[in-house]
Amino acid sequence: MSVTVFETKEVQELLKAAANLNGGNGNARFQQVVHRLLGDLFKAIDDLDITPDEVWAGVNYLNKLGQDGEAALLAAGLGLEKYLDIRMDAQDKAVGLDGGTPRTIEGPLYVAGAPVRDGLSKIDLDEDAGAGPLVIRGTVKGTDGKPVANAVVECWHANSNGFYSHFDPTGAQTDFNLRGAVKTGADGKYEFRTLMPVGYGCPPQGATQQLLDGLGRHGNRPAHVHFFVTSGDHRKLTTQFNIEGDPLIWDDFAYATREELIPHVVEKTGGAALGLKTDAYKHIEFDFTLTPLLQGRDNQIVQRQRAAAEATATA
Ligand SMILES: [Fe+2]
């Protein structure tokens, strides 16, 4: 039989005690957030008559999520990361900031420490028989259209199996394969010579896929390439583009696709002269427009736990 206890004095006092609200010590902001989130959970249990069996299934799920190290992946899959983007877009709009390349989610698979090259970096360090060559290049600009010098464009993407180096369960890739960083010169230009990625899929036995299965959802992304673009005089841009033609472009489990982030893929020849593994290659031209600092500061720097590795001398 369904009962309603959330509004009772006993439950409200329990919530305050559990969050140590107004307790005099602890972090006041943390207490405020925990009190609210716990309260929302308690209320949901009341409203939906969530059973003890269901609650304990959820608690056990959190254990599996932690064991699998997939909390950040689940955040992407449940749209939490997209929601943060929607909020940042709205904040930009509220202060009249527009004209930049749209942001989209970072995802959990960045690795800090890629070697920084001037203007151009060839980032396919490991053999990948299943992938053809891809050149990505463009210009980093400000909203005034002028090129930005000394910007650093960082790029990371999956291989032809949909696996990212450093996180590849097969162990087949070195730490910075398909990851790189390029510093722009006075012309603002950057270029990556790499291989065509394939879309990522959640680990099939992992906690994220388990939850998605329960929702009747898939855990796949279209082929895409991630970028950070940083420059001291502009706000950091976190974005990605999708590979045009991928059938999942508008069915991305992480909701990262945006209309402006699907550049044309152009077939070219002349790859041999560029040091690519075949003469025919794919070419993507993609310019980045950075937005100015807000009152002298970059409000786009997001602190989160990220992997890091050290580049070897030859990488
Ligand atoms: Fe990704």
Side-chain angles (χ1 to χ4, degrees):
M1 177 190 162
S2 183
V3 294
T4 302
V5 298
F6 181 73
E7 299 293 353
T8 61
K9 188 161 176 279
E10 182 184 12
V11 170
Q12 291 304 312
E13 282 178 359
L14 174 63
L15 268 176
K16 282 186 188 142
N20 199 25
L21 205 62
N22 311 319
N25 49 22
N27 179 299
R29 172 65 174 170
F30 188 57
Q31 289 163 344
Q32 176 191 33
V33 172
V34 168
H35 179 258
R36 173 59 188 267
L37 292 179
L38 194 58
D40 286 353
L41 175 62
F42 281 16
K43 187 156 192 329
I45 291 171
D46 238 15
D47 289 350
L48 303 178
D49 198 18
I50 298 173
T51 67
D53 289 5
E54 289 171 327
V55 169
W56 292 115
V59 169
N60 289 339
Y61 178 78
L62 291 180
N63 274 333
K64 176 167 170 57
L65 185 66
Q67 279 160 7
D68 293 350
E70 289 192 4
L73 184 62
L74 184 68
L78 285 181
L80 177 60
E81 200 170 359
K82 172 70 178 178
Y83 183 64
L84 299 178
D85 279 351
I86 292 170
R87 282 182 49 80
M88 285 190 279
D89 284 353
Q91 285 159 355
D92 283 359
K93 199 173 172 197
V95 297
L97 251 187
D98 60 7
T101 300
R103 63 170 60 79
T104 196
I105 70 165
E106 173 181 330
L109 301 175
Y110 171 78
V111 177
V116 183
R117 312 273 189 229
D118 284 331
L120 163 70
S121 187
K122 190 169 188 302
I123 61 173
D124 55 317
L125 308 178
D126 302 334
E127 285 290 314
D128 186 347
L134 169 67
V135 171
I136 302 166
R137 70 176 194 196
T139 304
V140 181
K141 303 172 185 175
T143 48
D144 58 4
K146 291 185 181 155
V148 175
N150 297 316
V152 174
V153 181
E154 292 178 86
C155 158
W156 68 104
H157 66 79
N159 68 2
S160 71
N161 292 316
F163 294 140
Y164 284 81
S165 63
H166 195 83
F167 302 97
D168 187 336
T170 71
Q173 303 183 64
T174 52
D175 266 341
F176 288 102
N177 188 43
L178 310 179
R179 300 177 183 274
V182 163
K183 190 179 223 180
T184 61
D187 60 4
K189 289 193 184 306
Y190 78 91
E191 180 171 334
F192 291 102
R193 293 183 188 164
T194 186
L195 298 173
M196 186 57 91
V198 161
Y200 170 90
C202 290
Q205 306 307 321
T208 304
Q209 190 58 57
Q210 181 187 332
L211 184 142
L212 294 172
D213 286 346
L215 297 175
R217 288 179 51 198
H218 71 72
N220 299 310
R221 303 206 55 206
H224 61 278
V225 178
H226 295 263
F227 299 96
F228 282 155
V229 189
T230 46
S231 146
D233 304 329
H234 300 80
R235 298 194 304 165
K236 177 179 177 179
L237 171 67
T238 300
T239 196
Q240 313 175 23
F241 61 59
N242 286 333
I243 304 299
E244 185 184 45
D246 192 300
L248 288 179
I249 277 189
W250 293 109
D251 190 15
D252 175 6
F253 99 98
Y255 309 104
T257 306
R258 302 188 73 157
E259 202 69 69
E260 305 89 333
L261 303 176
I262 313 170
H264 287 308
V265 179
V266 180
E267 311 271 351
K268 287 203 173 186
T269 54
L274 301 177
L276 308 182
K277 71 178 188 179
T278 58
D279 198 58
Y281 69 98
K282 311 250 197 250
H283 177 106
I284 292 176
E285 194 84 28
F286 195 75
D287 293 345
F288 297 106
T289 302
L290 302 183
T291 47
L293 298 175
L294 260 183
Q295 282 137 18
R297 60 178 279 273
D298 185 349
N299 66 340
Q300 300 303 287
I301 304 289
V302 174
Q303 303 297 337
R304 59 185 281 180
Q305 193 174 318
R306 296 181 174 96
E310 272 184 41
T312 58
T314 53

